[in-house]
Amino acid sequence: MAVKVLVVDDSGFFRRRVSEILSADPNIQVVGTATNGREAIDQALALKPDVITMDYEMPMMDGITAVRHIMQRCPTPVLMFSSLTHEGARVTLDALDAGAVDYLPKNFEEISRNPDKVRQLLCEKVHTISRSNRRYSGFSAPGNSPAAAPSAHASSAPVAPSRPAHTAASAAPKRKSYKLVAIGTSTGGPVALQRVLTQLPGSFPAPLVLIQHMPAAFTKAFAERLDKLCKIRVKEAEDGDLLRPGLALLAPGGKQMMIDGRGSVKILPGDERLNYKPCVDITFGSAAKSFNDKVLAVVLTGMGADGREGARLLKQSGSQVWAQDEASCVIYGMPMAIVKANLADAVYGLDDIGRHLVEACS
């Protein structure tokens, strides 16, 4: 059955172009378009699409407000279009916090210069986030009423309730003097990381590194956002930064982050041969080499299998690997790869991971 898509944008050119690209895929059906946020809400209620593509800046009602209303009234996976700027990053993070699943850069030049690449990426994103639809059905964010803006200190994204944390694979966390906590994630990661990291006390005893698939223009804004919300410190990693307890270093977009045995961070150019920049496997692998069995790695929501091979190296060194459970993932791809490869020492719901990190590292 074809994925039904509603395209929302105030630009007639962009609506037509996105509709043409999606309609060229025989497994996608564009069921409607809208020119502003209010039309988007009406169309979402009437057409019940599987996915909505959403612009931010529109007349009458902006995209973030529209997402908030849609998540309250008819929760639907939303793919945001955003500009690759610091302001675009801030807006996109607000949209994800409001309930959007994923985002794509809105780049007219790229569409003209490389239409095949854009077509493949857009259709892949739509197909992938359509599969998250069942996780949104019937769920809405606590306190996320259409009349009220979400709190700046709490995620308003609707997330399915976690399954009980203690599954067959999930014993109590193993307490240890870890030299590093490494967290890797992709789609759904910005909200998931916020949920985990805001549970950690400022006195958290271990250093952290964060690897989130994200464009170069976004990671600084994301680190700043997390730093404001969390008790621990969060910053975008720079070459030569030192690992410190209670400090989380976020891998910069478009580059690779490695750890050496002295606890120093190396930031390297993104290798064009690698699909992900930053890549979870690269950072996990360097952590395994540097700290052997003193690493606690966590793989959160995301599509694909990045992190699996790095986790394998960590397990071979004696370190611990956790995976987020399927019920609380936006996209159960990266954690599933860990579980299927029998690399997970524990599988926890999203809202339990922060608490267990505190227990394990205390």
Side-chain angles (χ1 to χ4, degrees), residues 171-319:
K174 183 177 180 181
R175 294 171 183 261
K176 197 171 184 178
S177 180
Y178 293 104
K179 290 187 176 179
L180 181 68
V181 172
I183 306 178
T185 185
S186 183
T187 309
V191 171
L193 281 170
Q194 181 175 309
R195 294 271 285 273
V196 171
L197 298 179
T198 51
Q199 295 184 48
L200 305 184
S203 58
F204 189 73
L208 302 98
V209 291
L210 315 173
I211 311 96
Q212 163 74 57
H213 296 165
M214 190 172 269
F218 282 22
T219 42
K220 184 174 179 59
F222 184 41
E224 291 171 353
R225 183 189 190 93
L226 289 174
D227 189 58
K228 289 177 182 176
L229 294 173
C230 297
K231 297 181 182 73
I232 62 169
R233 287 191 57 225
V234 184
K235 72 180 290 285
E236 184 184 48
E238 299 175 76
D239 191 58
D241 276 344
L242 296 176
L243 300 176
R244 300 184 187 281
L247 171 65
L249 297 173
L250 176 69
K255 299 181 185 295
Q256 301 297 350
M257 179 169 69
M258 300 182 71
I259 316 296
D260 68 22
R262 297 168 299 174
S264 178
V265 169
K266 302 284 187 187
I267 303 299
L268 306 172
D271 190 328
E272 291 305 316
R273 294 171 296 179
L274 295 171
N275 287 332
Y276 305 113
K277 298 180 280 289
C279 175
V280 181
D281 282 330
I282 295 290
T283 306
F284 277 14
S286 72
K289 183 177 179 180
S290 297
F291 295 134
N292 297 313
D293 64 339
K294 298 294 195 297
V295 181
L296 173 53
V298 185
V299 177
L300 301 177
T301 174
M303 65 181 76
D306 187 24
R308 180 180 58 198
E309 299 314 309
R312 199 184 306 278
L313 293 173
L314 285 165
K315 290 287 291 180
Q316 290 170 357
S317 299
S319 285

Side-chain angles (χ1 to χ4, degrees), residues 162 165 173 181 183 192 195-197 199-200 204 296-301 322-325 328-329 335 346-360:
S162 303
V181 172
I183 306 178
R195 294 271 285 273
V196 171
L197 298 179
Q199 295 184 48
L200 305 184
F204 189 73
L296 173 53
V298 185
V299 177
L300 301 177
T301 174
W322 298 354
Q324 184 180 345
D325 75 350
S328 64
C329 281
V347 178
Y348 294 125
L350 180 62
D351 288 332
D352 297 317
I353 291 172
R355 173 171 57 87
H356 286 318
L357 284 175
V358 174
E359 292 173 2

